[in-house]
Amino acid sequence: MSSGELPRPSDDVPQPSGEVPVPSGDVPVLDALDAQVLEGVAGGESTVQLAARLYLSRQGIEYRVGQMLRRFDAPNRPALVARAHALGMFAAGQWPPRVLPKHVR
């Protein structure tokens, strides 16, 4: 190897692929209302906007978001959206974000 060459990774060292391996059983299935709340959070809607659109109280939205934060083991709303995206729950290339039907019961 010359001085300008970088060392090649050996075949026995695992290389990062950029994908998070997720067992199929670990992807939560949401009810229709939770899917709508997650879509709203992913689209940047506030609690008040979500409550008005879904005809729920602010506390009802906060309760549902809190339940999803625990289910997805996420510390906050951006992490919740990132986790759902990493799990493949959103349709690709679609705005506003939509949860795929296979993740809704």
Side-chain angles (χ1 to χ4, degrees):
M1 169 169 51
S2 67
S3 62
E5 250 181 86
L6 294 174
R8 294 183 53 159
S10 68
D11 292 332
D12 61 342
V13 176
Q15 298 299 311
S17 65
E19 293 183 21
V20 178
V22 179
S24 60
D26 288 352
V27 179
V29 176
L30 305 173
D31 66 25
L33 187 56
D34 283 340
Q36 289 180 312
V37 171
L38 181 59
E39 290 168 355
V41 170
E45 289 184 66
S46 70
T47 298
V48 173
Q49 291 169 326
L50 275 169
R53 182 170 61 84
L54 299 176
Y55 303 103
L56 294 173
S57 67
R58 290 186 330 261
Q59 293 83 2
I61 296 295
E62 290 296 337
Y63 174 79
R64 289 187 171 274
V65 170
Q67 290 291 327
M68 283 190 282
L69 289 172
R70 283 186 281 291
R71 285 180 71 191
F72 285 81
D73 193 28
N76 52 40
R77 289 177 182 221
L80 172 64
V81 173
R83 182 78 39 92
H85 177 70
L87 292 171
M89 295 186 74
F90 293 120
Q94 187 173 12
W95 190 262
R98 294 287 171 242
V99 175
L100 293 170
K102 69 181 181 180
H103 298 292
V104 180
R105 63 180 136 119

